[in-house]
């Protein structure tokens, strides 16, 4: 029987710290490994025994896990919030961090983060993130333009100024030095380029989404369009990563956190801000779009029923957002069509 070996790997942009301990908890060795594919392969190829590796989730964790995975028994990626023993140590060094990662894995005290192994879904998530990034940058540039115009006494609260006609009219209305008009023109040129790039990012995302039948399936949900369906599928990756809907709600920042000690409440219950904010935004946008539709749907009825019971618009909205997420997850799990049924009140409770 091979000996169980635990390895902690503290990732850095230029170098990584590797710490190896045995089943008895004694440190075998610790060394620095340059951050490159070949050096990581060499660092794990020579290890003997059943090797389990522990990483902290970050920008390099998915890349490193993909390299190390085929060479070892298992790779565990933990959420940084669960590693307070490491983060709050006053004597924090890479060597100590790596040793603690290995020790936590040996003790089984890890909070594992899901890592998608399907390259297609990883690529799709990158495309979704890129589209969202381009959308945010475009909105930020529009805000900068409006702020700059206000300094010139031009106050525009509508979006028509960003169209071709609006830009032409604006050029005529800005007086003063010609260099000012040139400056505003450059800002609009950057915006127009961003709009073109966002359109290209959207086309790439929608084209790649055709590989996933669940995207078209979810578009039948009231308030869900192609972009919303892509965002949902891109970030969730697989609905089976969550054992129940309450864990899914918490990942979407719709779970409730409660803090008590000695039988006393330390703070009021509130939404837990850990998780994926984009999925919370998806549920909010679907809720608003479903309420705007003229046709009756289960989400409208769920909101009205919850509002009648609680007399609290925020509580009713959050309950409906949870219902939306649970419905979309259930449809994806069973690959079944949307059914416009009246939901039970229990389905919306946290």
């Amino acid at each position: 029987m091979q000996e169980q070996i635990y390895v902690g790997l503290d990732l850095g942009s230029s170098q990584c710290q590797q710490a190896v301990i045995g089943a008895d908890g004694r440190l075998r060795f610790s060394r620095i490994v340059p951050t490159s594919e070949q050096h990581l392969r060499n660092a794990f190829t020579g290890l003997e025994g059943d090797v389990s590796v522990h990483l902290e989730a970050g920008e390099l964790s998915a890349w490193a896990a993909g390299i190390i995975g085929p060479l070892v028994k298992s790779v565990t990626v933990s959420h940084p919030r669960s590693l307070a023993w490491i983060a709050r140590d006053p004597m924090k060094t890479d060597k100590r961090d790596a040793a603690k990662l290995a020790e936590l894995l040996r003790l089984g005290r890890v909070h594992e983060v899901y890592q998608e192994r399907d390259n297609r879904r990883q690529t799709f998530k990158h495309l979704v993130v890129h589209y969202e990034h381009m959308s945010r940058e475009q909105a930020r540039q529009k805000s900068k333009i409006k702020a700059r115009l206000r300094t010139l006494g031009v106050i525009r609260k509508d979006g028509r100024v960003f169209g071709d006609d609006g830009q032409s009219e604006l050029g005529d209305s800005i007086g003063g030095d010609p260099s000012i008009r040139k400056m505003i023109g450059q800002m609009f040129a950057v915006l127009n380029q961003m709009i073109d790039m966002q359109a290209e990012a959207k086309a790439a995302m929608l084209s790649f989404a055709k590989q996933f039948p669940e995207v078209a399936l979810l578009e039948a949900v009231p308030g869900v369009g192609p972009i919303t369906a892509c965002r949902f599928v891109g970030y969730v990756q697989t609905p089976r990563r969550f054992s129940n809907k309450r864990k899914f709600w918490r990942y979407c920042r719709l779970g409730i956190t409660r803090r008590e000690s000695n039988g006393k409440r330390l703070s009021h219950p509130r939404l837990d801000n850990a998780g994926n904010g984009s999925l919370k935004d998806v549920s909010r946008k679907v809720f608003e779009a479903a309420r705007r539709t003229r046709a009756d749907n289960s989400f409208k009825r769920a909101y009205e029923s919850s509002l009648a019971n609680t007399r609290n618009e925020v509580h009713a909205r959050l309950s409906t957002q949870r219902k939306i997420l649970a419905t979309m997850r259930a449809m994806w799990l069973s690959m079944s069509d949307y059914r416009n049924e009246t939901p039970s009140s229990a389905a919306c409770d946290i």
Side-chain angles (χ1 to χ4, degrees), residues 99-145:
K100 287 183 177 182
L101 286 170
E103 180 66 13
L104 287 171
L105 183 61
R106 187 181 73 88
L107 297 174
R109 306 298 294 178
V110 296
H111 180 70
E112 188 170 4
V113 174
Y114 176 78
Q115 295 289 314
E116 178 58 57
R117 303 303 183 191
D118 188 339
N119 290 332
R120 295 182 310 134
R121 293 195 178 275
Q122 288 183 8
T123 301
F124 186 51
K125 182 178 180 180
H126 287 313
L127 292 174
V128 171
V129 172
H130 176 62
Y131 170 76
E132 287 194 350
H133 174 74
M134 296 306 302
S135 299
R136 287 193 296 268
E137 288 299 315
Q138 182 190 139
R140 190 174 292 113
Q141 182 68 9
K142 288 180 177 180
S143 297
K144 289 181 180 179
I145 291 175

Side-chain angles (χ1 to χ4, degrees), residues 145-319:
I145 291 175
K146 283 190 173 182
R148 187 60 56 84
L149 289 175
R150 284 196 295 271
T151 64
L152 301 174
V154 180
I155 301 175
R156 299 293 296 270
K157 297 183 179 181
D158 60 308
R160 197 174 65 87
V161 68
F162 301 116
D164 293 338
D165 295 339
Q167 293 182 32
S168 300
E169 296 175 4
L170 185 64
D172 298 334
S173 63
I174 297 177
D177 195 282
S179 59
I180 296 296
R181 290 193 293 272
K182 184 177 180 180
M183 176 191 68
I184 298 298
Q186 290 174 341
M187 297 183 72
F188 272 106
V190 172
L191 174 63
N192 294 334
Q193 186 177 15
M194 287 182 173
I195 292 174
D196 293 339
M197 293 175 65
Q198 184 200 29
E200 293 177 4
K202 176 182 176 181
M205 178 181 69
L206 294 177
S207 176
F208 202 88
K210 295 177 182 178
Q211 301 181 48
F212 308 108
E214 59 270 18
V215 174
L217 178 74
L218 294 174
E219 289 181 32
V221 176
V224 176
I227 294 177
T228 303
C230 286
R231 294 177 68 197
F232 184 83
V233 172
Y235 281 111
V236 176
Q237 297 186 318
T238 173
R240 290 177 176 81
R241 59 187 286 195
F242 305 99
S243 59
N244 57 64
K245 62 185 179 182
R246 285 169 177 78
K247 290 184 178 179
F248 182 44
W249 291 339
R250 187 167 296 280
Y251 178 69
C252 300
R253 296 188 179 181
L254 288 172
I256 302 297
T257 179
R258 296 177 174 87
R259 300 181 70 247
E260 295 181 356
S261 179
N262 195 29
K264 297 180 181 180
R265 189 171 65 183
L266 300 178
S267 62
H268 293 287
R270 57 178 178 81
L271 291 179
D272 189 356
N273 61 3
N276 190 300
S278 291
L279 286 172
K280 182 180 180 181
D281 181 65
V282 164
S283 67
R284 178 65 180 262
K285 283 183 166 54
V286 174
F287 165 76
E288 293 172 347
R291 285 199 66 200
R292 287 196 302 267
T293 58
R294 295 184 179 181
D296 181 50
N297 60 70
S298 61
F299 302 145
K300 275 187 177 181
R301 294 193 298 270
Y303 175 74
E304 292 166 358
S305 175
S306 181
L307 184 61
N309 291 333
T310 64
R311 300 183 184 277
N312 186 305
E313 292 184 359
V314 174
H315 180 85
R317 172 176 58 78
L318 293 175
S319 295

